[in-house]
Amino acid sequence: EVQLVESGGGLVQPGGSLRLSCAASGFTFRSFDMTWVRQAPGKGLEWVSYISSSGIIIHYTDSVKGRFTISRDNAKNSLYLQMNSLRAEDTAVYYCAREMFDENTWYRAEYFQFWGQGAPVTVSP
Amino acid sequence: EVVLTQSPATLSLSPGERATLSCRASQNVDSYLAWYQQRPGQSPRLLIYDASNRAPGIPARFSGSGSGTDFTLTISSLEPEDFAVYYCQQRSDWPPFTFGPGTKVDIK
């Protein structure tokens, strides 16, 4: 069974830092691209960052460029999001998600098939 | 950036009724569009990928159609667990991946 478990969320002051972790199990982590998606309170879904299976290709949404860093440790089956210079507008539940892979057809695509339970991040004085 | 708009914002229906949700893209995304369901307090769940393919384990009452800029998610007969928020997402032109604002399906 695929499982993604986020940790590291919490309350932080504006300008502060936080590091989110996502522990993966039930699949070959090193073979899959991973993504962070966030959801502000009462709002919709917003893609935050992407990392390829090897860790070589990385992308960010514009609002977090230069402040957030995505990384992964394939030996530890873990995904990370280092968040610096946090702002009030970064307040959200942060989900890690795995790219889609259909075992019946061996089709792989950049949709988000498995999600963690979410890590709440609150940026407030 | 591809902007996705969804309509209606809220759809009020009764169990057993048919739900039709719309997603429109600001530019051609071919068939590279997915639909997700998010129940209250839960993480999103992938329902449909590439516009019309059900994700593994998704019931047959969920179907998707469309290509280019106009897409539809249809729930043929609403079950109690289908009352939720539905989002569309495109992967045609990324980064960034973009989501629509969501359609809430609530009980009439």
Side-chain angles (χ1 to χ4, degrees):
Chain A
E1 179 193 4
V2 172
Q3 284 200 321
L4 298 169
V5 180
E6 299 97 338
S7 60
L11 174 63
V12 61
Q13 293 188 337
S17 298
L18 217 52
R19 188 195 195 206
L20 302 182
S21 299
C22 172
S25 60
F27 65 101
T28 306
F29 180 73
R30 66 179 181 273
S31 297
F32 288 89
D33 303 341
M34 297 294 294
T35 286
W36 289 96
V37 175
R38 67 184 178 184
Q39 187 169 35
K43 303 297 184 182
L45 302 171
E46 179 187 24
W47 169 77
V48 175
S49 184
Y50 160 95
I51 187 167
S52 63
S53 58
S54 64
I56 292 175
I57 301 173
I58 286 174
H59 295 293
Y60 301 97
T61 192
D62 284 347
S63 63
V64 309
K65 283 179 182 175
R67 300 188 300 123
F68 289 13
T69 302
I70 191 171
S71 62
R72 63 190 297 160
D73 185 336
N74 286 342
K76 294 183 177 179
N77 293 334
S78 293
L79 174 72
Y80 306 101
L81 186 67
Q82 177 66 44
M83 303 185 294
N84 298 331
S85 303
L86 281 161
R87 306 167 180 167
E89 54 265 35
D90 296 319
T91 294
V93 174
Y94 286 73
Y95 297 99
C96 63
R98 197 204 79 178
E99 72 167 315
M100 190 205 83
F101 176 66
D102 189 331
E103 294 180 339
N104 294 321
T105 61
W106 283 72
Y107 181 68
R108 180 187 297 265
E110 298 301 345
Y111 301 113
F112 314 124
Q113 183 177 12
F114 294 100
W115 298 65
Q117 85 286 355
V121 173
T122 302
V123 184
S124 178
Chain B
E1 174 177 324
V2 177
V3 177
L4 299 177
T5 56
Q6 292 186 241
S7 61
T10 303
L11 193 55
S12 298
L13 294 168
S14 301
E17 288 193 296
R18 182 184 188 90
T20 303
L21 288 66
S22 174
C23 177
R24 177 163 289 179
S26 61
Q27 63 192 64
N28 181 13
V29 298
D30 293 316
S31 294
Y32 300 127
L33 188 111
W35 291 93
Y36 298 83
Q37 175 194 68
Q38 188 176 31
R39 297 169 177 153
Q42 294 189 14
S43 304
R45 176 171 73 142
L46 177 65
L47 299 176
I48 301 288
Y49 68 90
D50 287 351
S52 61
N53 297 285
R54 272 189 302 278
I58 300 303
R61 65 180 181 274
F62 292 94
S63 63
S65 64
S67 66
T69 61
D70 289 296
F71 300 86
T72 300
L73 173 70
T74 302
I75 311 171
S76 60
S77 177
L78 283 164
E79 297 287 339
E81 62 268 28
D82 298 337
F83 292 93
V85 180
Y86 293 83
Y87 297 95
C88 54
Q89 175 241 325
Q90 66 82 26
R91 70 170 186 97
S92 172
D93 182 15
W94 68 277
F97 296 105
T98 52
F99 291 90
T103 290
K104 182 178 181 180
V105 179
D106 67 12
I107 299 176
K108 188 174 182 180

